[in-house]
Amino acid sequence: MNKFGKLFFAAALSSLAMSAFADNDYNKLRIVQKQILEDKTMDRVNEMAHEIVSSGLNAGDGYGEVWIRDFNTFIQVAMDVSPDSTITHALNTFFHFQGKTGDIVDGYIDIRKADLNNVGGYKYRLSESCSLYAAHKNTVETDHETSLIQAVYQYIKKSGNKDYLKTVVAGKTVEERMEESLEFLMNEKLNKQYGLIIGATTADWGDVQPEHIWGVEIDENTHFTIDIYDNAMLVIALENYNELIDDASKKQNGVR
């Protein structure tokens, strides 16, 4: 972590803590702030993150998939250690598997590693325009679409390559596919009574529900919920989308 990151973290911690403690504890907080600024551990953590991501975009040795939630989390680190083509290829792959109603898959994997005949497991989605991979969608989740929009935003802001929005993926531009992913949430995941989006009641990063043996599919036993995470992710995605899109008529004003 660079010195500006440490300063921001320390200042934020100090500001937050000062609001909760009396003035006579201020000196103790300054000591903690000083310790954070002098701690080299975060520098090593940052180095380790870059080392790990340089080995690939999948989630780890035990997982062959590239998941959009994860990729959105570390895309900027990946950009530091990977060529631009690797990053855009990953983003494009998610768009290749976009559903007819605009939904975005959870993750994709080399088709040679996918167990396409696994009964009771993932129901893989194939794409004629991206035949090297198989993809799947955990329908209990409602953060795939927003994660991809955020990832595109981070890529463009860091690279400066706004022309990426005009990239054509399977007959549609990235910009068009981003719009369709938001429309999917508005059309299929919106609770009109509250004006917020819904998902299943889940645990473990929000992708496993207790009512289903596999845990990742909405069915007749699902208990739906309106959770802070999904809706916060939507707010961020809407803000990111509006910042990227030049056409005022396409800007999203939230749920409609």
Side-chain angles (χ1 to χ4, degrees):
M1 181 180 292
N2 61 32
K3 63 180 180 180
F4 299 107
K6 284 187 175 181
L7 283 169
F8 175 80
F9 181 74
L13 178 64
S14 177
S15 176
L16 179 63
M18 285 175 63
S19 66
F21 292 93
D23 291 340
N24 58 5
D25 289 319
Y26 179 70
N27 289 334
K28 294 180 181 179
L29 297 177
R30 291 301 298 270
I31 292 174
V32 173
Q33 184 181 40
K34 184 174 184 293
Q35 291 173 337
I36 292 173
L37 291 171
E38 295 177 348
D39 189 359
K40 300 299 182 183
T41 304
M42 292 305 296
D43 293 326
R44 179 54 186 150
V45 170
N46 187 46
E47 292 173 2
M48 293 171 66
H50 282 77
E51 291 171 5
I52 291 173
V53 174
S54 65
S55 65
L57 303 180
N58 59 305
D61 292 340
Y63 299 91
E65 295 93 348
V66 176
W67 276 308
I68 187 52
R69 182 196 299 113
D70 295 358
F71 190 42
N72 179 42
T73 303
F74 62 73
I75 186 172
Q76 294 195 45
V77 174
M79 291 176 69
D80 290 338
V81 298
S82 305
D84 183 79
S85 58
T86 297
I87 305 302
T88 55
H89 173 77
L91 293 173
N92 291 347
T93 300
F94 284 102
F95 286 121
H96 274 290
F97 286 95
Q98 187 170 24
K100 294 181 179 180
T101 60
D103 65 286
I104 299 298
V105 294
D106 188 13
Y108 67 85
I109 188 171
D110 187 323
I111 196 168
R112 296 170 296 181
K113 298 179 180 179
D115 187 356
L116 301 179
N117 299 314
N118 181 18
V119 178
Y122 285 129
K123 295 180 179 178
Y124 283 101
R125 180 183 299 184
L126 303 180
S127 170
E128 293 182 358
S129 62
C130 194
S131 60
L132 296 179
Y133 301 101
H136 53 80
K137 183 174 181 64
N138 290 13
T139 58
V140 298
E141 303 173 14
T142 319
D143 68 341
H144 306 144
E145 294 75 23
T146 54
S147 291
L148 182 52
I149 289 174
Q150 291 177 34
V152 169
Y153 174 82
Q154 290 188 76
Y155 165 71
I156 291 176
K157 296 299 289 186
K158 186 175 176 68
S159 68
N161 180 21
K162 193 171 182 181
D163 288 340
Y164 173 67
L165 292 173
K166 304 303 180 183
T167 298
V168 177
V169 180
K172 297 180 181 179
T173 66
V174 167
E175 181 177 322
E176 290 171 333
R177 291 191 174 279
M178 289 171 64
E179 182 178 3
E180 288 183 4
S181 68
L182 288 173
E183 291 298 328
F184 165 77
L185 296 177
M186 298 301 103
N187 293 333
E188 301 195 26
K189 295 295 181 178
L190 177 66
N191 180 295
K192 294 183 179 179
Q193 178 181 355
Y194 296 102
L196 298 168
I197 58 174
I198 62 172
T201 300
T202 56
D204 184 24
W205 278 63
D207 60 6
V208 177
Q209 67 175 354
E211 297 89 349
H212 188 277
I213 189 171
W214 183 232
V216 300
E217 293 182 2
I218 288 175
D219 63 11
E220 67 276 8
N221 298 309
T222 296
H223 288 80
F224 289 97
T225 186
I226 295 173
D227 68 77
I228 295 173
Y229 167 70
D230 287 338
N231 285 279
M233 289 289 284
L234 176 58
V235 170
I236 296 170
L238 288 170
E239 291 178 346
N240 290 169
Y241 175 83
N242 283 342
E243 185 175 337
L244 293 177
I245 301 304
D246 293 325
D247 188 345
S249 66
K250 291 186 177 181
K251 291 184 182 293
Q252 301 290 321
N253 297 316
V255 293
R256 292 178 288 179

